Amino acid sequence: MISPRGRRIAIDVGSVRVGVAVCDPDGILATPVETVRRAKDRSDIERIVEIIDEYEAVGVVIGLPRTLANTEGHATRFARGFGRALAARLRERDDRPDVPTEFYDERLTTVTATTALRANGVKAKDARAVVDQAAAVAILQGWLDAHR
């Protein structure tokens, strides 16, 4: 069992959208929540903070897109920057307890999510709206399974 008990939020950071998923309080099953559009004014970070508060999350798992050779490329640095900005925003709040953030290897989760959606008859054009959420679910479910 994962300790402490409580919901966790997973984030799949993309250059255009951020997929968000949540798990049940017992840490068994991850489900999609929302796709948040990236914004230069940081309103995307604010929306994710709202989701974290809404679900009373005890932790945040941010997907780290390492390459197949286990190196860090542009997307990894991008995800780390987003994660640092989110962690800083969570720490500066006075009205809520700090919510720890951590990174989790997410190699191929977007590919896996896209393949699963296509296998279920979702067309590529329609998949754009949910593929980021599906990738966030894959990140969180992987993290949950690894921590059981």
Side-chain angles (χ1 to χ4, degrees), residues 1-2 5-8 23-29 144 148:
M1 183 56 63
I2 297 168
R5 185 177 186 275
R7 294 181 186 272
R8 280 160 179 81
C23 69
D24 61 284
D26 293 320
I28 296 170
L29 184 65
L144 293 169
R148 250 194 273 282

Side-chain angles (χ1 to χ4, degrees), residues 13-118:
V13 181
S15 59
V16 177
R17 292 174 301 273
V18 178
V20 183
V22 67
C23 69
D24 61 284
D26 293 320
I28 296 170
L29 184 65
T31 57
V33 173
E34 184 175 324
T35 300
V36 177
R37 180 153 300 278
R38 292 300 310 271
K40 292 182 189 218
D41 66 359
R42 298 289 193 174
S43 59
D44 52 347
I45 297 243
E46 291 304 317
R47 177 61 191 136
I48 292 168
V49 169
E50 289 172 3
I51 293 168
I52 291 165
D53 288 344
E54 178 183 334
Y55 284 94
E56 299 178 348
V58 299
V60 177
V61 179
I62 302 161
L64 195 60
R66 293 178 170 277
T67 67
L68 292 177
N70 199 27
T71 61
E72 295 195 6
H74 175 73
T76 308
R77 289 187 295 277
F78 192 70
R80 283 192 187 279
F82 186 90
R84 283 191 299 271
L86 177 61
R89 177 64 186 100
L90 290 168
R91 280 192 306 273
E92 70 187 23
R93 303 174 311 153
D94 293 330
D95 59 333
R96 300 275 303 174
D98 186 32
V99 178
T101 61
E102 67 179 278
F103 293 96
Y104 182 74
D105 187 352
E106 64 130 318
R107 276 176 270 193
L108 300 178
T109 55
T110 300
V111 173
T112 302
T114 302
T115 302
L117 289 169
R118 285 189 186 146

